[in-house]
Structures are given as C-alpha cells and as structure tokens.
Amino acid sequence: MYEIIFLDEAGQESRDTATSKENFDWKMSALRIAGTTIVRSGKVNDTDRISPDDIGNDIHDFLHGGDK
C-alpha cells in the first residue's frame, strides 16, 4: 500500500492511499499539477496501522464501560 500525506486547502494534513504503484503515481501527478504541498509520500508498512479488530475492541470497551 502507498500513502500520500498532503496539506489541504485549510493547511491541515490530509492523507490518501493507493493500492498499486500505478495508482499512486497517477495521484501524485494530479496533486503536483494542482500545486498541492506534499508532506510525505511512499510505500507504507501495514504493521504500523491499527487493525480493524483493534478499533472494534476499543469501541466495544467504550460502549461497555472499558476495563474494570
């Protein structure tokens, strides 16, 4: 997976992802043509991401009072 972190119109960091190198290159070209400030881009390590199971567990804990 590839990720692009850029500044949006309000100057806040936004991110976009691409699953293929071709899609990543196309998105990078479009952002450059638009004059967007790119903060960071490239291939990402999926192990650094929160898994959907972790998010679901956090939501479950929140709804049911967390750790007691």
Side-chain angles (χ1 to χ4, degrees), residues 5-59:
I5 300 174
F6 59 95
L7 299 181
D8 64 13
E9 299 84 20
Q12 300 294 316
E13 280 192 7
S14 291
R15 70 182 65 229
D16 195 0
T17 59
T19 56
S20 70
K21 178 71 167 125
E22 293 79 18
N23 193 298
F24 171 76
D25 290 341
W26 180 86
K27 289 181 178 192
M28 287 293 289
S29 294
L31 288 169
R32 286 187 182 122
I33 289 170
T36 303
T37 301
I38 298 170
V39 177
R40 186 173 56 247
S41 65
K43 195 165 187 170
V44 295
N45 183 353
D46 285 342
T47 60
D48 293 338
R49 299 183 170 277
I50 297 172
S51 75
D53 288 341
D54 291 341
I55 294 169
N57 291 340
D58 290 345
I59 292 169

Side-chain angles (χ1 to χ4, degrees), residues 58-68:
D58 290 345
I59 292 169
H60 182 268
D61 289 346
F62 173 77
L63 292 174
H64 297 282
D67 297 331
K68 291 189 176 185

